[in-house]
């Protein structure tokens, strides 16, 4: 846009909608990297837990090249520290279950080979009366031969699974052992926002719920309807914080926002002659009207490639592959008991879990206390998925809510000894501790439901015991 066109009020006022879509070759892009304030979304920080140590180190070194211009909104910091436990636990759970899943798959393969042999023998006898050929199959594809064939592959696969333990990240109730947390804290230093005034937060949540979300004004309207109005407003709270910071900053000319989130409440879908989505023009327009600053939104892959290009920070191609993979497959949430007591599970997941378990719907009438009801529902969802009683839903979270553990020491003051459960239905009465919500559900349910619940919990506990005893 040049000459007279650039001076016309209409062209100037609506330039964010008229100008071409953002490109990596935009002439002013370099200035966002060299002069702009850089804000990283929560998902960018949580992705650090998904990278290999070498890739993580390269990414942190790349971020250090813009360290002086980084700024951490309170909302991002809060979501990061609240969700890091779930991310680490989910990673840890996946690594711990890898061996069990591998053994199950190898067992399925062995069964499939035997069934294929038996089916072929059946066909030979039925249609050709060829007992010799059937016998040859027994000799060539004997159970021993199958075991020997799979043994080498099994050792190779288990060796690789064992090696994965080197990539685990330890966790504690505080920060001990979480090197990512300490590295992020060091990266931002004191360039973090103070908690906003509660009255201001309430005002922003009400604005999001009553005006912006119903009118599909970005950002964040796709999150409307989450657990609470506050949890639905995370993106908008981040946006408002950032605008307030830019308005009060001495250097407020440019904002570079980096996020994995490319949903329709951040990105305008393709259409009107465009073949690809783009950040909503209204976001750039709003930031300029309220702060005078220009906005550029980039995905992590584009951002780190820009750091490489403009700030000359070397990043290996393998690291870019990890960055792009984390963006396509974002970190999955994990429901822990701490998180589960405040999060209502989707009704379709609850219904599927009850159907899969064969439980009576009246069971829920006996669990009126949310502190017991919600962890019970999440456990049932997780147990029916883990024990393969039902197919997993798309985007279904992993669940790490346990109803019982085997231990000599009481894990928590509220847990009760296994003898509280019914004799003959619970096999670990003398060696287990039971979560209070599970004891309540079992002891107040019908005999039919009681047996189902204890059987599910016992099967889960048996898997855990087997995994712990496995070499």
């Amino acid at each position: 846009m040049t000459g007279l066109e650039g001076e016309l009020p209409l062209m100037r006022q609506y330039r964010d909608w008229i100008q071409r879509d953002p490109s990596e070759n935009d002439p002013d892009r370099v200035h966002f990297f060299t002069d702009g304030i850089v804000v990283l979304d929560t998902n960018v920080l949580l992705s650090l837990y998904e990278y290999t140590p070498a890739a993580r180190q390269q990414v942190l070194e790349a971020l250090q090249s813009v360290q002086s211009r980084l700024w951490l909104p309170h909302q991002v910091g809060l979501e990061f520290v609240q969700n890091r436990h779930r991310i680490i636990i989910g990673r840890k759970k996946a690594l711990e279950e890898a061996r069990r899943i591998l053994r199950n798959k190898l067992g399925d393969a062995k069964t499939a080979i035997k069934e294929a042999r038996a089916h072929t023998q059946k066909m030979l006898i039925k249609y050709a009366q060829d007992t010799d050929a059937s016998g040859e199959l027994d000799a060539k594809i004997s159970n021993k031969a199958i075991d020997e064939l799979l043994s080498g592959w099994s050792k190779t696969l288990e060796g690789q699974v064992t090696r994965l333990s080197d990539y685990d990240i330890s966790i504690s109730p505080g920060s001990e052992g979480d090197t990512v947390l300490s590295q992020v804290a060091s990266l931002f230093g004191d360039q973090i926002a103070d908690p906003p005034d509660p009255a201001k937060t309430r005002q922003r949540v009400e604005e999001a719920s009553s005006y912006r979300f119903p009118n599909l004004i970005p950002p964040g309207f796709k999150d409307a309807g989450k657990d609470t109005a506050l949890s639905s407003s995370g993106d908008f709270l981040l946006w408002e914080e950032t605008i307030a910071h830019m308005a009060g900053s001495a250097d407020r000319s440019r904002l570079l926002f980096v996020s994995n989130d490319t949903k329709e409440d951040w990105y305008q879908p393709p259409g009107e002659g465009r073949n690809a989505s783009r950040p909503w023009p209204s976001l750039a327009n709003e930031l300029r009207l309220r702060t005078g600053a220009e906005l550029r939104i980039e995905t992590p892959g584009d951002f780190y490639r820009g750091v490489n290009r403009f700030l000359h920070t070397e990043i290996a191609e393998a690291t870019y592959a990890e960055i792009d993979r984390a963006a396509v497959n974002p970190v999955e949430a994990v429901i822990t008991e701490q998180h589960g007591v405040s999060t209502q599970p989707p009704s379709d997941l609850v219904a599927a879990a009850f159907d899969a378990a064969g439980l009576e719907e009246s069971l829920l009438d006996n669990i009126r206390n949310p502190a017991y009801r919600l962890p019970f529902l999440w456990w049932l969802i997780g147990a029916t998925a883990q024990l393969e009683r039902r197919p997993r839903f798309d985007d279904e979270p992993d669940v790490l809510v346990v109803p019982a553990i085997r231990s000599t020491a009481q894990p928590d003051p509220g847990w009760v000894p296994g003898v509280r459960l019914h004799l003959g239905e619970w096999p670990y009465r003398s060696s287990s501790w039971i979560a209070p919500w599970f004891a309540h559900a079992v002891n107040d349910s019908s005999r039919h439901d009681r047996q189902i619940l204890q059987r599910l919990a016992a099967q889960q506990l048996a898997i855990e015991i087997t995994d712990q005893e496995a070499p």
Side-chain angles (χ1 to χ4, degrees):
M1 189 178 303
T2 60
L4 184 61
E5 287 184 342
E7 299 299 324
L8 293 174
L10 184 145
M11 306 300 286
R12 184 172 60 252
Q13 182 167 323
Y14 301 107
R15 60 183 172 179
D16 297 301
W17 284 268
I18 297 171
Q19 66 188 7
R20 62 187 178 87
D21 294 350
S23 165
E24 64 178 19
N25 296 317
D26 289 342
D28 64 340
R29 184 184 178 213
V30 59
H31 300 297
F32 286 89
F33 286 84
T34 58
D35 304 320
I37 291 176
V38 180
V39 172
L40 308 178
D41 201 356
T42 310
N43 48 57
V44 178
L45 297 179
L46 290 176
S47 290
L48 291 169
Y49 289 103
E50 289 296 288
Y51 303 146
T52 59
R56 184 184 305 120
Q57 185 60 36
Q58 283 199 342
V59 167
L60 288 168
E61 289 174 0
L63 291 174
Q64 287 170 2
S65 67
V66 294
Q67 184 176 24
S68 63
R69 294 185 304 284
L70 285 174
W71 179 71
L72 183 72
H74 171 74
Q75 183 66 26
V76 171
L78 181 64
E79 291 176 357
F80 173 68
V81 298
Q82 286 181 333
N83 286 288
R84 70 181 184 89
H85 284 79
R86 290 195 288 139
I87 302 306
I88 297 175
I89 289 172
R91 180 188 178 97
K92 190 177 186 68
K93 180 181 178 183
L95 293 173
E96 289 175 348
E97 288 191 346
R99 180 176 282 105
R100 178 183 64 82
I101 293 173
L102 171 62
R103 290 176 176 174
N104 287 345
K105 297 296 184 183
L106 289 170
D108 292 342
K110 185 183 295 185
T111 300
I113 294 172
K114 292 179 179 178
E115 290 177 349
R117 180 191 63 196
H119 176 72
T120 304
Q121 289 175 314
K122 178 181 177 181
M123 301 294 284
L124 286 169
I125 298 298
K126 182 175 181 180
Y127 294 107
Q129 296 297 311
D130 195 340
T131 55
D132 291 339
S134 177
E136 288 178 8
L137 287 178
D138 273 328
K140 292 182 177 180
I141 311 179
S142 64
N143 290 350
K144 181 180 179 181
I146 295 172
D147 290 340
E148 290 176 350
L149 176 65
L150 293 178
S151 176
W153 294 345
S154 176
K155 289 179 181 177
T156 299
L157 290 169
E158 289 204 12
Q160 294 299 324
V161 167
T162 300
R163 191 172 67 88
L164 286 173
S165 61
D166 296 337
Y167 296 94
D168 197 5
I169 299 175
S170 60
I171 188 170
S172 66
S175 61
E176 300 84 356
D178 185 354
T179 57
V180 174
L181 176 63
S182 60
Q183 289 170 318
V184 169
S186 176
L187 181 68
F188 283 96
D190 61 357
Q191 295 162 201
I192 65 175
D194 294 327
D197 179 76
K200 176 63 70 174
T201 298
R202 178 175 179 175
Q203 176 186 343
R204 290 169 176 170
V205 170
E206 290 175 350
E207 180 182 354
S209 302
S210 63
Y211 173 65
R212 294 187 68 119
F213 290 177
N215 290 289
L216 306 184
I217 301 174
F221 61 77
K222 293 290 286 186
D223 294 330
K226 279 188 174 180
D227 310 321
T228 65
L230 180 61
S231 61
S232 297
S233 303
D235 283 356
F236 180 63
L237 293 176
L238 156 65
W239 178 245
E240 285 295 303
E241 265 195 271
T242 304
I243 285 179
H245 177 73
M246 294 298 292
S249 173
D251 180 12
R252 61 180 187 178
S253 59
R254 292 180 180 86
L255 168 66
L256 178 56
F257 179 64
V258 186
S259 177
N260 276 338
D261 192 346
T262 57
K263 299 195 305 294
E264 291 181 12
D265 51 359
W266 283 100
Y267 278 68
Q268 183 182 20
E272 300 176 359
R274 291 177 294 100
N275 296 323
S277 61
R278 65 176 180 179
W280 276 103
S282 57
L283 293 170
N285 185 68
E286 181 177 5
L287 183 70
R288 188 184 304 109
L289 287 175
R290 296 175 64 182
T291 71
E294 299 297 322
L295 172 67
R296 186 175 183 92
I297 298 178
E298 297 205 352
T299 61
D302 290 339
F303 168 70
Y304 290 118
R305 287 178 175 87
V307 169
N308 190 342
R309 175 181 176 184
F310 300 122
L311 304 178
H312 312 294
T313 300
E314 292 297 327
I315 301 178
E317 285 301 319
T319 299
Y320 285 128
E322 290 194 42
I323 292 169
D324 292 339
R325 183 169 59 250
V328 174
N329 302 298
V331 180
E332 294 183 359
V334 176
I335 301 295
T336 63
E337 184 167 341
Q338 179 183 11
H339 183 254
V341 296
S342 61
T343 304
Q344 180 70 41
S347 57
D348 54 349
L349 262 181
V350 173
F354 265 77
D355 289 343
L359 293 168
E360 300 169 356
E361 293 183 5
S362 58
L363 169 62
L364 285 180
D365 295 335
N366 299 325
I367 313 175
R368 295 186 176 87
N369 185 347
Y372 287 170
R373 183 188 184 99
L374 292 180
F376 169 80
L377 290 176
W378 277 118
W379 164 74
L380 185 63
I381 289 169
T384 52
Q386 180 188 10
L387 299 174
E388 298 182 348
R389 300 295 186 89
R390 61 175 180 83
R392 290 176 63 94
F393 284 34
D394 292 338
D395 301 324
E396 178 179 336
D398 286 328
V399 178
L400 197 63
V401 178
V402 295
I405 64 170
R406 292 191 70 185
S407 172
T408 56
Q410 186 179 21
D412 186 88
W415 286 53
V416 298
V419 293
R420 293 286 186 89
L421 300 186
H422 291 264
L423 182 63
E425 297 175 2
W426 180 246
Y428 306 108
R429 281 170 52 84
S430 62
S431 60
S432 65
W433 292 91
I434 313 299
W437 52 265
F438 186 70
H440 175 84
V442 167
N443 290 328
D444 289 345
S445 62
S446 67
R447 181 176 180 180
H448 170 268
D449 287 347
R450 190 178 69 222
Q451 291 177 333
I452 291 175
L453 295 176
Q454 292 184 116
R455 192 178 304 121
L456 288 173
Q459 289 173 348
Q460 275 190 307
L461 196 52
I463 291 174
E464 179 183 340
I465 295 169
T466 301
D467 288 344
Q468 290 174 350
E469 295 175 348

